[in-house]
Amino acid sequence: MTTKSTQNDLAVKFRKLHVPGEPLVLTNVYDAATASIIAEHPSTKAIATASYAVAASQGIADEKLTLSQNLATVRSIAAVLKADGDGLPRIPLTVDIQDGYEDVAATIREIIALGAVGCNLEDFDTANNRLRPLSQAVERIQLAVQAARDAGVPDFVINARTDVLLKQDGKDGGSIEDAIERGRAFLEAGACTVFVWGGSARGGVSKGEVQRLVEAFDGRLNVKMNLQEGYLTVPELKEIGVARISLGPELFRAAMKAFKETADAVLGYCG
């Protein structure tokens, strides 16, 4: 029988993988099939979901993904990660829970019950289409930390995302100083790492910005890597000193591109 102490051991293992300068690389998955593929790779140390890809695979926009839809995918992923079909996933599982939904503490309890030992939690209020005030965003991280502690997983790993750099309601996004202020507050509230989302419109975060964020957060930074020329690579991010690298929906997009190209090649013979 699985115990919460065993699950917390898995959380401790996951937390220790976040080493500035020796970053954890997460090739985000979005269903049971992709989780199975990534889990079998010898270099994989943990499994992470990407809400954008989870939503897209169900034919909906990221912001339309409901908690129940997200949990259904997590349940199927967790199932294939269990060595004997029971107990905990055999490697750490972290879940993109977007903004935590209406009751962030309840959401944390739900994913812990499914075997997760970490999550992504963002400061954008999806329901009201606005950035949460800093105090509210901090409070929600504290609620998540307490919920995990109460569920018997005190070392649960929170990757706190801030969208402060993004353009909101036609207004320009905040500055890197705003991101640093939020990130430091999130770390103080109990987050393990901070993910500063730069957005596609501004091309993510620049090398100079990553360097500033690494310095401000003592390396406890997650960077979303783009699989295109001109963007920072794993060796470059390692040299800068980040603790975590994620691909987000990059593998989903690559898979869909290959799917379309292959389908087009076949259907091209059909008049």
Side-chain angles (χ1 to χ4, degrees), residues 104-259:
V104 66
T107 300
I108 295 296
R109 291 193 293 269
E110 291 267 21
I111 63 170
I112 286 177
L114 293 176
V117 294
C119 76
N120 263 38
L121 180 60
E122 59 197 54
D123 61 0
F124 188 80
D125 182 350
T126 301
N128 295 296
N129 194 35
R130 66 180 178 87
L131 191 72
R132 293 183 187 277
L134 178 56
S135 60
Q136 187 182 97
V138 166
E139 181 183 17
R140 288 174 70 81
I141 291 173
Q142 293 170 333
L143 286 170
V145 169
Q146 187 60 51
R149 186 177 294 118
D150 292 344
V153 190
D155 289 289
F156 187 85
V157 176
I158 297 175
N159 184 42
R161 167 176 150 174
T162 179
D163 286 12
V164 71
L165 296 182
L166 304 187
K167 192 172 184 178
Q168 310 285 348
D169 295 325
K171 299 178 182 178
D172 290 338
S175 65
I176 200 69
E177 286 76 19
D178 295 323
I180 288 172
E181 178 187 19
R182 284 188 170 245
R184 283 175 170 166
F186 296 165
L187 292 169
E188 180 67 24
C192 176
T193 48
V194 175
F195 171 25
V196 178
W197 176 226
S200 56
R202 71 190 299 277
V205 287
S206 68
K207 181 177 181 179
E209 289 171 333
V210 171
Q211 290 171 326
R212 288 194 60 189
L213 293 166
V214 164
E215 182 179 359
F217 303 153
D218 296 323
R220 293 175 291 173
L221 179 70
N222 178 174
V223 174
K224 188 265 179 184
M225 193 171 72
N226 292 297
L227 299 181
Q228 301 176 46
E229 290 188 12
Y231 287 93
L232 293 169
T233 63
V234 170
E236 289 171 329
L237 289 168
K238 180 177 180 179
E239 184 177 358
I240 293 172
V242 308
R244 174 165 163 162
I245 299 168
S246 56
L247 291 186
E250 294 291 311
L251 290 182
F252 169 80
R253 288 170 175 156
M256 292 303 100
K257 182 175 183 290
F259 183 95

Side-chain angles (χ1 to χ4, degrees), residues 49-51 65 67 70-71 74 94-101 103-105 107-108 111 116 118-122 126 140 144 156 158:
T49 68
S51 69
L65 183 69
L67 174 59
N70 201 348
L71 290 176
V74 175
T94 183
V95 177
D96 185 346
I97 59 170
Q98 301 178 299
D99 67 349
Y101 303 96
D103 186 338
V104 66
T107 300
I108 295 296
I111 63 170
C119 76
N120 263 38
L121 180 60
E122 59 197 54
T126 301
R140 288 174 70 81
F156 187 85
I158 297 175

Side-chain angles (χ1 to χ4, degrees), residues 56-76:
S57 68
Q58 298 180 49
I60 56 178
D62 191 13
E63 64 272 15
K64 298 295 184 182
L65 183 69
T66 66
L67 174 59
S68 62
Q69 289 170 321
N70 201 348
L71 290 176
T73 297
V74 175
R75 188 172 294 108
S76 66

